[in-house]
Amino acid sequence: MSFVPPGTGWPDDSATADTPVAHDAADVRRLATTSPTLAELTARVSVCRACARLVEWREETARVKRWAFADETYWGRPVAGWGDDHPRILIVGLAPAAHGGNRTGRIFTGDRSGDWLFASLHRCGLAVQETSEHAGDGQKLIGTRMLASVRCAPPANKPTPDERNTCLPWMARELATVAPSVRVIVALGGFAWQAMWPALKEAGYGLPPSRPRFGHGVEVEATHGEAAVTLIGCYHPSQQNTFTGRVTARMLDDIFTRAAALAL
């Protein structure tokens, strides 16, 4: 088996053998829009098989594994949103890492990017621990939720436009479901910044007529109903960015300190 079967005891796995499975883009839209609760949406996301290339890649990666994790069981399924069910802050990323979220079953968990991200969230009072190593490790987000634009680990970390569009209804439904409490959305990287705009529109957010250019610290005012929502751009804490100094711990802390202040 090259993935963890639903309902077999993986920590925080809300899916069961009876959870409906999406096999194409039409299924994704139907199952996303009819998800009655956040928990059911999370379950349906976690068993999606709509993108053949991504399914093949994530499961092959889970079977072959990286040598450092050769003795571990890989999740090998889509990685759903995670965190507070009524968040004030949303953090949007690109996609799970092949040996990070695809291994651990939790977004930004078990990779170098996550090490930087969770350490910053902890310093800023948005996470109870400074590390996030695996599902069930005691980590909790405080008033914060994370999700990815594309829910499966893609080859070379590059989903195709069709894969992004197929996955969009999952993201739009999650954005709509948590919208009553959300006041700040932080996009990690240019891909997430671009991908979240059509999802926000579909989820009923009021957006400016033109999409502002992505940049670190860029802020854009949006609305949901009568509530103001601030969209913030943040450079992704990828190894390339942190090794070269394009992203520093102080830069991340400044973003999340600002997000926390706005969320209050």
Side-chain angles (χ1 to χ4, degrees):
M1 181 68 70
S2 56
F3 62 91
V4 174
T8 54
W10 191 276
D12 300 324
D13 184 5
S14 57
T16 70
D18 297 325
T19 299
V21 178
H23 292 281
D24 56 30
D27 281 350
V28 170
R29 181 159 296 279
R30 175 177 58 83
L31 292 175
T33 56
T34 60
S35 293
T37 64
L38 188 58
E40 180 60 20
L41 177 67
T42 297
R44 293 178 181 188
V45 167
S46 76
V47 296
C48 182
R49 302 185 66 82
C51 299
R53 187 183 80 114
L54 297 186
V55 170
E56 182 180 4
W57 173 256
R58 78 191 191 210
E59 294 181 4
E60 175 70 7
T61 302
R63 184 183 67 80
V64 176
K65 307 179 184 180
R66 177 174 285 173
W67 67 267
F69 310 119
D71 294 333
E72 294 188 23
T73 298
Y74 274 50
W75 171 251
R77 286 163 46 194
V79 181
W82 175 78
D84 197 318
D85 286 353
H86 304 283
R88 303 285 289 181
I89 300 169
L90 280 180
I91 300 171
V92 179
L94 164 60
H99 303 281
N102 189 56
R103 173 174 61 89
T104 65
R106 195 164 72 192
I107 189 69
F108 286 114
T109 295
D111 60 40
R112 295 291 179 85
S113 296
D115 292 344
W116 279 73
L117 178 59
F118 280 99
S120 180
L121 293 174
H122 179 66
R123 289 191 296 268
C124 296
L126 301 176
V128 301
Q129 297 176 180
E130 63 181 356
T131 61
S132 183
E133 298 178 353
H134 55 80
D137 64 357
Q139 178 65 280
K140 294 183 183 298
L141 297 179
I142 302 169
T144 303
R145 187 173 183 84
M146 297 177 172
L147 55 90
S149 307
V150 174
R151 305 305 174 96
C152 295
N157 206 32
K158 293 180 179 179
T160 67
D162 281 347
E163 289 162 352
R164 178 196 62 202
N165 293 338
T166 296
C167 213
L168 185 146
W170 294 132
M171 184 177 178
R173 184 63 172 178
E174 188 161 359
L175 288 169
T177 301
V178 300
S181 61
V182 170
R183 296 298 175 265
V184 181
I185 302 176
V186 178
L188 296 179
F191 185 99
W193 180 262
Q194 296 293 329
M196 76 179 184
W197 286 80
L200 287 167
K201 183 177 180 180
E202 186 169 314
Y205 286 75
L207 302 170
S210 60
R211 184 182 305 171
R213 185 175 180 179
F214 172 76
H216 187 79
V218 167
E219 294 187 13
V220 178
E221 292 305 313
T223 59
H224 193 276
E226 297 182 356
V229 181
T230 303
L231 314 179
I232 304 178
C234 178
Y235 288 155
H236 194 288
S238 65
Q239 282 188 276
Q240 181 179 1
N241 283 345
T242 56
F243 282 176
T244 60
R246 190 177 191 223
V247 171
T248 66
R250 176 64 180 272
M251 290 170 67
L252 291 177
D253 289 0
D254 286 347
I255 291 290
F256 291 115
T257 297
R258 173 67 172 160
L262 289 169
L264 293 176

